[in-house]
Amino acid sequence: MLPRQRRKDNRSRQQSERSNGFRFRAQLLCGFMVLGFAVIGLRLISVGLIPTGEPDISLDIVAALPAERGNIVDANGELMATTLTVNSLFADPKMVLDIEDVARRLPTVLHDVSAREIRGKLAKKNRFVWLKRGLTPHQVYAVNSLGIPGLGFREEKRRLYPQGSLATHIVGRVDYQVRGMAGVEDAFDETLAAGNEVKLTVDLRLQRALHETLATTMQSTGAKGVWGVTLDAETADILAMVSLPDFDANNYGNASPDKWLNKPTGGVYEMGSVFKLFTMAMALEEKNIPLSEQFDCTKPLSVGKYKIHDSHAKNSWLTMREVFAYSSNIGSAQIGDMLGAKLQQQYFASLGLLDRLPVGLSNAAMPIVPSYVRWKRIQTMSMSYGHGIAVTPAQMVAAARATMVDGVWKQPYLVKNAARMPSHQVFNAKTVASVRELLADVVDYGTASKARVAGYKVGGKTGTSEKSTKGGYLKDKHMASFVGMIPLNNPKLVTLIMVDEGLDGKGGGGVVAAPAFAEFSKKAMALLAIAPTEKTFEMLSDYEQTSVKHAQYSNLEKANYEAITAYFTARR
Amino acid sequence: MRMSIGVIFVVIIAAAFVTMMHVKNGVQDLKAEKHAGLLKRESFQETIRVLYAEKAYLARPEQLQAFASALRLQPIQPQQVVLLPHGVQASFGQAN
């Protein structure tokens, strides 16, 4: 082979090898690029089309914010407590040019901040002082209009109670860090703090009716305090609960601490004769005593060193229904004695009178009852007419509801759809029917004539107890009460009203508490649109009423009273 | 040939980058829009809360009673409540 030819071949081979090398590298590069684009393409598809489930940053920010404290609303959704953002006014004293100018001008728009207070705060060496917290939008505008340098606003969360003092003891209050301190705010703090709404069983219309009635009673009787609870007769839901004196929930700091206590759940009281209701029901249930059974009430009953008297002494033998209607302690004590301590304990326990009863508020007082060891004969007799045992009004009204309405004890509660203690049967239907007869007697011709409501049959029981101190009972300081239901034949409401030292301490249940019950019930029946079904005493003419009253004054008993009332109502 | 392949690659890469940037910007805009929407929602919710509270304050029973007194309106009396015959009640129930 010629050398030229050989060189040419060598060159050609080298070119071919170089070409092969280049192709290989190009293919490699292509491969990488295809792979790269494939990755990018796949990523685009995954980002654009396939939901990744990765958390959204902006949503994270929103979720990270603390939840707004939930509202408290009544049974009809009316607002009782809410949280709003408010502006609070602060000052940087070093930036304030003229303290006197601020002290002079600021009180003209913030009337509850004094010039002296402002001077004091601005004289401090701090760089930050609060001048007033929780301003209204109008006040913010007014302060801005002053154009004072060195003042500023900071947004804060504030709990507001639009109903003011109407349900102050129910909603309760929060502290400066918006944590529950009392009432539903405290009992349902976790639920509210998580942003959930709490719906109450309370009906603000009935709450207002009860509040207004009790305020009038307190004013007219000069009582130290008046309180009441109304239950739905069927469910035991608390529809209204008022404790007077009260205070504006938005301004609890200015209220004296003695007003903070919600007496219906936080106070324990000797209920007096309203307890006879349970004694009668127990006797009817356990001993099947006929209502015509007679008891010797001719003279005070002596038990050891104690003597039991009657406040409305008849000094005669009384039937069981008369014992109840005339509220005879002597007769009740005999019935209690007949039942015995063990039975009484069992029934009181079954009626929820011996243990703390929570109703959805943070304060549920413990009842004061004698220990089982000290529950002797005299205690049994005195407790049969409501002395020697102190329970909360909420316990009392729950036990009364069971005895008067359906014989089933149900836990009264303030919050809808909350878990409650299990209900249980205490009295049978026959006992309940007999109890209702007794309750009607009390209103028709017994101690509670002032509890009558025109157009409705009412049943109830009065109670008057002497207040106790460390040294014993105060003869001239009475706690008056009335527990009743309306309408008697188809109960809708069960209400307990208590009056503390009404009429200079002399007011009894029939005089001060029963009229309040009647007044409230009248309003409630109209609000709940429950039509009157009875031709009652109040619907008779003046002449007819006088005749009926004459029959009562003539000491004619129930049969005569009923006959005369029936005569007049039939004539109409 | 090498030149044209190289140009195509560069163009494709540039196009991919532009597209990616465009998509990214779009996503950022949408996120900002969503965030603004959430803040607006918060603001509306606060306004609703204020109005709700104001309504509750103005319509509290005590206030309404004062207005009613000023207008000489009387509360409903029980005697004004009547029971309709059963048939009429039933037809009301159906109508509702």
Side-chain angles (χ1 to χ4, degrees):
Chain A
M1 194 181 283
L2 291 171
R4 190 188 292 171
Q5 183 65 35
R6 200 177 298 133
R7 276 201 299 275
K8 195 178 174 184
D9 286 350
N10 283 344
R11 209 180 302 138
S12 164
R13 195 168 55 247
Q14 280 172 0
Q15 273 180 352
S16 171
E17 280 172 3
R18 215 176 294 145
S19 171
N20 284 343
F22 173 75
R23 197 173 293 124
F24 174 71
R25 284 197 298 275
Q27 281 172 348
L28 197 67
L29 184 65
C30 266
F32 276 125
M33 290 199 71
V34 166
L35 195 68
F37 278 111
V39 170
I40 291 168
L42 284 172
R43 181 64 187 147
L44 278 172
I45 290 166
S46 77
V47 168
L49 299 177
I50 302 167
T52 58
E54 286 174 14
D56 190 299
I57 296 166
S58 57
L59 282 177
D60 270 2
I61 292 166
V62 174
L65 293 171
E68 200 76 76
R69 190 174 177 85
N71 292 341
I72 301 175
V73 298
D74 87 333
N76 302 312
E78 291 295 331
L79 193 65
M80 297 174 79
T82 190
T83 305
L84 295 182
T85 306
V86 293
N87 284 289
S88 291
L89 179 65
F90 69 90
D92 178 352
K94 286 199 173 176
M95 298 294 286
V96 174
L97 301 175
D98 185 350
I99 292 177
E100 274 310 310
D101 179 53
V102 180
R104 184 173 51 80
R105 292 167 67 202
L106 203 54
T108 61
V109 293
L110 300 178
H111 304 297
D112 49 349
V113 180
S114 69
R116 189 178 166 186
E117 195 181 337
I118 293 169
R119 271 189 219 105
K121 284 180 175 175
L122 295 182
K124 290 178 181 171
K125 288 180 179 174
N126 307 0
R127 294 296 307 267
F128 183 94
V129 284
W130 286 117
L131 291 180
K132 182 172 166 53
R133 300 178 86 164
L135 274 69
T136 64
H138 179 75
Q139 286 174 322
V140 172
Y141 179 79
V143 173
N144 274 327
S145 301
L146 295 176
I148 300 171
L151 303 189
F153 294 99
R154 187 169 283 186
E155 283 191 345
E156 288 187 300
K157 295 290 176 193
R158 186 159 179 196
R159 200 71 172 153
L160 292 173
Y161 305 97
Q163 307 299 336
S165 61
L166 185 56
T168 190
H169 290 105
I170 296 174
V171 290
R173 58 192 168 89
V174 293
D175 62 10
Y176 277 110
Q177 291 173 307
V178 200
R179 287 180 310 200
M181 290 289 285
V184 172
E185 291 277 25
D186 188 22
F188 288 82
D189 189 40
E190 280 184 24
T191 310
L192 290 163
N196 300 310
E197 182 179 272
V198 170
K199 189 167 195 171
L200 305 184
T201 56
V202 170
D203 183 332
L204 275 180
R205 299 168 305 160
L206 295 179
Q207 181 75 12
R208 167 64 185 164
L210 185 60
H211 191 278
E212 188 187 30
T213 305
L214 298 190
T216 308
T217 301
M218 190 160 156
Q219 198 177 16
S220 62
T221 63
K224 283 174 80 176
V226 184
W227 47 93
V229 188
T230 296
L231 299 188
D232 181 312
E234 191 188 336
T235 61
D237 285 350
I238 297 176
L239 300 177
M241 182 161 68
V242 173
S243 177
L244 299 179
D246 58 5
F247 57 94
D248 186 346
N250 296 297
N251 210 5
Y252 76 89
N254 289 345
S256 54
D258 61 304
K259 292 178 180 173
W260 290 358
L261 181 68
N262 182 37
K263 274 100 174 182
T265 58
V268 288
Y269 308 96
E270 285 190 338
M271 292 289 167
S273 296
V274 287
F275 252 60
K276 288 170 187 159
L277 174 65
F278 309 132
T279 305
M280 296 297 153
M282 284 181 237
L284 289 165
E285 181 87 4
E286 289 293 328
K287 304 288 180 188
N288 206 16
I289 300 173
L291 295 179
S292 55
E293 178 90 4
Q294 293 206 323
F295 295 88
D296 181 6
C297 302
T298 53
K299 56 183 183 300
L301 184 65
S302 296
V303 185
K305 59 178 180 177
Y306 301 100
K307 222 167 208 180
I308 297 170
H309 300 268
D310 274 348
S311 306
H312 316 270
K314 294 288 172 188
N315 299 319
S316 63
W317 282 76
L318 298 176
T319 63
M320 189 161 156
R321 63 193 314 157
E322 285 167 340
V323 165
F324 195 66
Y326 297 137
S327 202
S328 167
N329 294 342
I330 300 167
S332 297
Q334 289 175 56
I335 297 170
D337 195 27
M338 197 191 300
L339 290 164
K342 197 175 172 188
L343 214 55
Q344 194 180 46
Q345 281 169 14
Q346 283 172 4
Y347 272 96
F348 281 0
S350 193
L351 287 166
L353 297 169
L354 303 184
D355 285 315
R356 200 186 298 274
L357 176 65
V359 298
L361 299 178
S362 49
N363 66 334
M366 189 70 188
I368 301 170
V369 293
S371 66
Y372 288 104
V373 184
R374 303 186 81 183
W375 201 307
K376 300 277 170 54
R377 185 174 175 228
I378 184 63
Q379 276 81 21
T380 304
M381 291 171 91
S382 66
M383 278 189 278
S384 68
Y385 54 88
H387 285 77
I389 180 168
V391 299
T392 66
Q395 283 178 299
M396 178 65 216
V397 74
R401 195 213 66 81
T403 314
M404 296 192 229
V405 176
D406 51 13
V408 179
W409 184 88
K410 294 176 181 174
Q411 185 190 10
Y413 219 69
L414 268 168
V415 178
K416 276 202 184 275
N417 305 322
R420 299 192 194 190
M421 292 154 77
S423 306
H424 55 265
Q425 191 85 35
V426 184
F427 299 113
N428 64 42
K430 192 180 163 201
T431 300
V432 172
S434 300
V435 164
R436 283 196 196 176
E437 277 184 49
L438 296 174
L439 294 167
D441 287 352
V442 176
V443 177
D444 287 343
Y445 72 106
T447 54
S449 59
K450 289 183 177 175
R452 293 176 194 153
V453 182
Y456 303 90
K457 191 84 174 155
V458 173
K461 182 73 190 87
T462 55
T464 308
S465 60
E466 290 166 0
K467 290 177 73 176
S468 58
T469 59
K470 282 179 184 173
Y473 288 98
L474 302 166
K475 297 283 176 198
D476 56 347
K477 304 283 180 196
H478 289 117
M479 184 75 80
S481 54
F482 181 80
V483 64
M485 65 175 176
I486 184 170
L488 185 75
N489 299 325
N490 182 22
K492 298 290 180 195
L493 301 177
V494 177
T495 302
L496 169 69
I497 286 170
M498 296 185 71
V499 181
D500 182 10
E501 291 186 31
L503 304 177
D504 285 333
K506 296 176 185 70
V511 179
V512 291
F517 170 87
E519 184 60 28
F520 165 69
S521 298
K522 187 179 155 191
K523 291 174 187 169
M525 289 297 102
L527 287 169
L528 297 175
I530 297 168
T533 52
E534 308 284 329
K535 280 184 179 171
T536 55
F537 178 84
E538 289 70 22
M539 297 169 85
L540 301 175
S541 69
D542 288 348
Y543 166 71
E544 291 163 347
Q545 283 191 5
T546 308
S547 299
V548 173
K549 279 178 183 169
H550 178 71
Q552 285 179 281
Y553 288 136
S554 304
N555 203 21
L556 296 174
E557 295 302 347
K558 186 172 183 289
N560 299 1
Y561 166 79
E562 277 182 346
I564 291 167
T565 310
Y567 170 73
F568 282 120
T569 48
R571 269 187 2 150
R572 290 164 70 89
Chain B
M1 179 65 185
R2 284 164 59 189
M3 184 79 166
S4 58
I5 289 170
V7 168
I8 289 166
F9 282 157
V10 168
V11 168
I12 289 171
I13 289 167
F17 270 111
V18 168
T19 310
M20 286 287 279
M21 273 188 67
H22 188 70
V23 169
K24 199 173 176 182
N25 283 338
V27 169
Q28 278 178 346
D29 288 347
L30 287 171
K31 276 188 176 175
E33 203 176 311
K34 188 167 77 175
H35 190 64
L38 287 169
L39 289 176
K40 208 169 181 181
R41 189 185 72 178
E42 275 291 299
S43 166
F44 280 137
Q45 280 175 343
E46 180 66 23
T47 308
I48 289 167
R49 273 196 294 270
V50 171
L51 291 172
Y52 191 32
E54 200 170 330
K55 181 238 164 195
Y57 178 74
L58 293 173
R60 63 193 196 280
E62 189 185 353
Q63 184 92 345
L64 294 180
Q65 201 168 342
F67 286 141
S69 299
L71 294 168
R72 296 184 182 180
L73 296 171
Q74 295 294 315
I76 301 169
Q77 297 300 310
Q79 284 71 25
Q80 292 173 273
V81 182
V82 290
L83 275 179
L84 295 172
H86 188 70
V88 180
Q89 278 188 27
S91 63
F92 264 104
Q94 282 164 9
N96 289 333

